[in-house]
Amino acid sequence: MFTYQKLEAPSFESELCPEKKGDICQKSIRVRKSSLLTWTLAIIILGVVFVLIEVILWALKISHGLDSRDETFRQTEINLSGQTHEQNPLDKCSSVLDDRRFDCYPERDVVVTRELCENRGCCFLEVSRGRGIPWCFYPPDFPSYTLEEVNQTSLGLRGLLRRKVKAYYVRDIERLQLSVNFETNTRLHIKLTDASSPRYEVPFDVPQVTKKAEKPIYGVDLVEEPFGVVVRRIDSGAILLNTTVAPLIFADQFLQISTTLPSKFLYGLGEHRSSFLHSLDWKTLTFWACDVPPVENCNLYGAHPFYLMLEDGGSAHGVFLLNSNAMEVAVQPAPALTWRTIGGILDFYIFLGPSPAAVIQQYQEVIGFPTMPPFWGLGFHLCRWGYGTSNDTWQVVKDMRREEIPQDAQWNDIDYMVGYRDFTFDPERFDTLPQMVDDLHRHGQHYIPILDPGISSTQPPGSYWPYDEGLIRGIFINTSQDKLLIGEVWPGHTVYPDFTNPETHQWWFENLNRFYNQVPFDGLWIDMNEPSNFKDGSLDGCSSGDFDNPPYVPAVLGESLFTKTVCASAKQNISVHYNVHNLYGLMEAKATASALIKLRKKRPFVISRSTFPSQGRYSGHWLGDNRSQWKDMYWSIPGMLNFNLFGIPLIGADICGFSGPTTEELCTRWMQLGAFYPFARNHNMEKEKAQDPTVFSPKVRAAMKDVLLTRYSLLPFLYTLFHRAHLFGETVVRPLFFEFPEDVETYSVDRQFLWGRSLLVTPVLDAGIDSVTGYFPEGMWYDYYTGSELPSSGENLTLAAPLDQINVHIRAGAVIPTQRPGTTSWVSSGNPLRLIAALSQQGEAWGDLFWDDGESVDTFEREDYSYLIFNVSENTFSSRVVHANKEATCITVETLSVLGVKSKPSKVTVDGKEAPFFYLENQVLMVEHLNLNLSVAFSIYWK
């Protein structure tokens, strides 16, 4: 499990322990007390060996004209004490291969010269080929930390590191404390911090472990000098982390650690707009919450320093850096990765899986499992900025009802407020808002308004309670001079609530309560919470100190920490904004969800723009201010997949696009895709043409209605997936490789996705086509609409895709619970069920169903729910009631469809009684008019 080494680090090509017995590295040298004679003999022998090697190399150079030594020989130059032999500087630098250069001068605001580079003690070699390859990089012997002592603890190990040579960043820390905790058999926790002084740590409630893992599936090796950690998978020997490849740097405002990667299949690291599978071609990903419409190569609304990596053979592991400071991750094709952050500590969790799904579950055991949304929250939502009046908003709802198009929630953007001020509604333009909300409730629908954190500060004293009361309680963010920080957002000059202050949560609740008494909303949309600021920093600028102008600034938008947000030096309750900026959206979501539970005594529904790990416990997320373009529709799929990795399954993008004009074709295709977003909302901005389904031609309107009815028919299945996410940390939407990790062809697929393990969605993402090509892993797939078979050997298949159709397929071996759709989730939830069983080659299938009242808090925890398991085996479909409550007694199973029945049965029996049935030419068996109560077990047999 653990070895403490005074050895050279493993090379990129070699494994640390090619021979193992159990979890002990047979070729590692354990530190132990040795006599002086033993060490003397060892040094003499090693000296002779090195002399021989030099002679051989010299001979090879003469005979073959070699200009540089082979990488294998370079690795042997590190002796047992961790020191290196003198080497010609040019040889030392040129021996480092291009893709293994670790950047010694990542600053972007200077032109790196040879003089600047060598002043840091680094190599400077120009490269004429390949963009991104650093010219200034670390030599193999660059000074790093030395592990001076290590001791066993009840959870693992504790060590002391010392830097003997100062690093080039100011206030570098000489002594570090290392802790390595074997928390579970699949979770390793490694922490590096200042050994002498406390530092800021993320205020998270992480699992508290009291006992060391007994049978971990990982091994850990510590290299003494230069210090490094090597983590390997015991069964395969794969090296998952190797931090010896570049020096560890730990200064007050610059922390850097690098590692090799076992493959090039890297995912996660959000929030960014990119393909789902990251390119490792010298990319830098930045983590600093920012209000910016989604574009490539830019830090966006949230920060999620977590990655998932697939290894050769399909095993997976994940790494989470629990740090909320400004950060960047640089990747390179070695493959390798470098973490850089400018504050806090290095606090890593490593998850060993070994399946991709297990990695995400293990990650959520640390950050928390997502909340269970209300059933209505999974319906269709409609919004736009620019309705103008409450009557105009209301008319859209009425138009949707007239066309019998499903809709569960109506939203309003900021135009409903008085002067864009929170907790107000315009008494003239939105005078009928309370009546509209009452009408929505009478029709089983819901209302969600927007709220921004910026509180208007320009009103006369005594005229705006949120500001006046906030001043009295002292809950706003202050400048570094202890004055109120004034920024500018939609209402003009604003102040910012400090959600790290518990008193702010109470103030937030009281404001919501006052507004709720006027407009009884059902959920909340929290926007602009990076926090956004139209002025950089504040009206008075920011300080000249190190928080606002740190020695190193990651690759953030605007090259400043206070671009489009508040000053990093601003003071908050638990720390300076420099440390907690990335937590702002999370803290606001936490306060909002808590307030909603108090107000409504029901499950909260919150959608937040800015997010951080554990956000899924309190809110969902939408992907921000996208554009009405085909490429933006595609980008929504990698975004949706990533947020499921991040433990925020309630995710979607603005259907049809937020800004710019849409078209009938684009909006139709996007409504088809959006019907399979976990959070499905159509939303666009002011001064653009309306894009709700009722404004389009009858043909397009019918296509949109049909796909929404498909979504509503699948709500029992989707709701069950959210239950499994809430209970077990499973993903709702997932990439194909989660289910087929040994199929390398699935690793880059991000134009398709799965609902759960068994529903494959293949949308059209390009203009002017009536077919779509998708990858189908090996096995049998069934058309969701017709039940027809689609066999695949693991190949790309081209399917017909007319404008009114999206391709959806069921994986063989699944049982999908569906329901006769209604125009609201409330109507649908009372309708009979149709169960679809898609038989495997062995004639088997499995599925489950979670059912409750759809809105009460903690129904599972209070055992007020129903849970059923469906099985098909030996020509028998059976239901087993694992747990039941009164809600299930109101629901009946009306129809069973069995796909893949090879021949027409001679008879069908339901609980032993013969029943009529239909058998279709495409091998679909249908049994209708069952009228079986969901709360009672039943069996259906065909002969």
Side-chain angles (χ1 to χ4, degrees), residues 379-396:
F380 179 61
H381 301 245
L382 196 54
C383 181
R384 76 169 303 185
W385 177 18
Y387 283 125
T389 70
S390 53
N391 283 338
D392 289 342
T393 311
W394 201 347
Q395 187 59 50
V396 171

Side-chain angles (χ1 to χ4, degrees), residues 266-283:
L266 178 72
Y267 309 86
L269 297 172
E271 179 176 11
H272 301 97
R273 172 171 281 199
S274 69
S275 57
F276 185 50
L277 173 62
H278 282 296
S279 166
L280 300 188
D281 189 20
W282 303 104
K283 301 292 185 182

Side-chain angles (χ1 to χ4, degrees), residues 404-653:
E404 297 184 331
I405 299 174
Q407 182 189 1
D408 259 272
Q410 180 61 52
W411 297 43
N412 274 124
D413 212 315
I414 56 175
D415 47 333
Y416 79 89
M417 303 177 186
V418 178
Y420 302 127
R421 294 194 292 273
D422 280 347
F423 315 114
T424 69
F425 69 95
D426 192 301
E428 296 180 0
R429 295 181 301 111
F430 280 80
D431 57 319
T432 59
L433 184 59
Q435 290 80 14
M436 184 194 81
V437 173
D438 183 59
D439 175 69
L440 287 168
H441 291 165
R442 287 199 307 271
H443 285 82
Q445 295 173 301
H446 302 82
Y447 178 69
I448 299 176
I450 194 172
L451 283 176
D452 295 340
I455 300 297
S456 179
S457 63
T458 58
Q459 297 70 230
S463 64
Y464 186 46
W465 194 87
Y467 177 69
D468 295 333
E469 188 65 19
L471 279 181
I472 293 170
R473 301 190 192 187
I475 55 89
F476 297 124
I477 294 176
N478 286 329
T479 68
S480 57
Q481 288 79 38
D482 292 315
K483 297 179 180 179
L484 206 60
L485 187 145
I486 307 294
E488 184 177 318
V489 202
W490 294 112
H493 294 177
T494 58
V495 292
Y496 296 85
D498 175 10
F499 288 103
T500 71
N501 185 348
E503 181 61 28
T504 306
H505 290 223
Q506 179 62 27
W507 167 87
W508 190 247
F509 164 72
E510 291 175 21
N511 278 286
L512 289 173
N513 187 37
R514 291 161 65 95
F515 186 53
Y516 184 80
N517 289 332
Q518 301 174 74
V519 182
F521 49 82
D522 301 287
L524 287 168
W525 172 20
I526 52 177
D527 191 15
M528 307 291 286
N529 55 351
E530 290 72 32
S532 178
N533 187 359
F534 296 164
K535 298 288 186 181
D536 289 347
S538 77
L539 295 184
D540 299 321
C542 297
S543 75
S544 59
D546 284 345
F547 287 132
D548 292 311
N549 303 279
Y552 181 82
V553 179
V556 298
L557 179 72
E559 301 180 353
S560 167
L561 295 185
F562 50 82
T563 298
K564 300 190 73 174
T565 190
V566 303
C567 299
S569 61
K571 292 184 178 180
Q572 295 192 233
N573 183 62
I574 64 170
S575 190
V576 290
H577 190 74
Y578 180 90
N579 289 328
V580 299
H581 170 85
N582 282 335
L583 301 178
Y584 197 90
L586 169 64
M587 296 297 189
E588 186 191 16
K590 186 175 181 179
T592 305
S594 173
L596 280 172
I597 293 172
K598 290 180 184 177
L599 284 173
R600 302 182 67 247
K601 308 296 188 292
K602 296 177 181 178
R603 267 178 239 168
F605 185 87
V606 182
I607 296 295
S608 173
R609 191 168 75 178
S610 188
T611 61
F612 191 77
S614 87
Q615 189 94 21
R617 297 171 60 188
Y618 311 106
S619 83
H621 173 61
W622 96 104
L623 293 170
D625 296 342
N626 60 3
R627 296 166 182 82
S628 296
Q629 298 178 6
W630 289 91
K631 66 176 183 178
D632 284 62
M633 179 166 61
Y634 155 69
W635 287 122
S636 72
I637 299 178
M640 177 173 57
L641 293 172
N642 268 317
F643 273 89
N644 273 266
L645 300 189
F646 301 151
I648 308 175
L650 189 63
I651 176 70

Side-chain angles (χ1 to χ4, degrees), residues 306-326:
F306 164 81
Y307 70 76
L308 171 76
M309 167 142 284
L310 283 176
E311 306 155 30
D312 292 340
S315 291
H317 69 275
V319 176
F320 171 43
L321 174 54
L322 180 51
N323 182 296
S324 60
N325 289 90

